[in-house]
Amino acid sequence: MQPTATVLVYSDNTDTREQVRLAAGRRPAADVPAVEYVECATLPAVLSTLEKHRIDVCILDGETAPAGGMGVCRQIKDEIFDCPPVLLLIGRPQDAWLASWSRAEAAVSHPIDPVALAGALAGLLRESDGASAQVQPL
């Protein structure tokens, strides 16, 4: 297991980015590495960060404007070689089909539930730690 994992958090809302950091914490589960967060508020910042840094998991806010997390997810899945797994924050549970369309590996709905977010993030970190990538149920 690597010493730390890098998680990109994309949202135009600083409160949402803070909620994600607080909900998942420094270590979302005992069997995954400690987490360092990289925050992005714009699509260009996401693309630049993915090109320049090793990112283990992306957490994208589907409610971000003008480039929503669902569209960003679909774009990076098409454009970024060896794209990291994506956890999508969706507006409501009924939007799970949109998360599937975007090709996100996992989704958690607003308001952010710390247990659900930490569990989904830990699952994606386990997969990116050398296990084969599989789609997680939304």
Side-chain angles (χ1 to χ4, degrees), residues 42-100:
T42 65
L43 175 58
V46 170
L47 297 175
S48 175
T49 301
L50 287 171
E51 288 178 11
K52 295 177 183 175
H53 303 283
R54 182 182 180 280
I55 301 296
D56 296 292
V57 174
C58 295
I59 300 176
L60 308 177
D61 183 6
E63 302 300 305
T64 295
M70 292 180 205
V72 170
C73 180
R74 190 157 175 102
Q75 180 177 347
I76 65 175
K77 292 292 183 177
D78 285 341
E79 296 178 2
I80 303 294
F81 175 73
D82 201 20
C83 183
V86 174
L87 170 57
L88 195 57
L89 303 176
I90 56 178
R92 56 199 180 120
Q94 296 86 348
D95 293 335
W97 71 274
L98 288 167
S100 294

Side-chain angles (χ1 to χ4, degrees), residues 111-128:
I112 295 172
D113 174 5
V115 174
L117 182 71
L121 178 56
L124 294 178
L125 288 169
R126 286 182 197 106
E127 286 181 9
S128 69

Side-chain angles (χ1 to χ4, degrees), residues 20-42:
V20 167
R21 286 191 331 271
L22 293 174
R26 287 274 302 138
R27 187 173 221 130
D31 63 334
V32 298
V35 173
E36 292 180 1
Y37 295 98
V38 175
E39 296 185 29
C40 297
T42 65

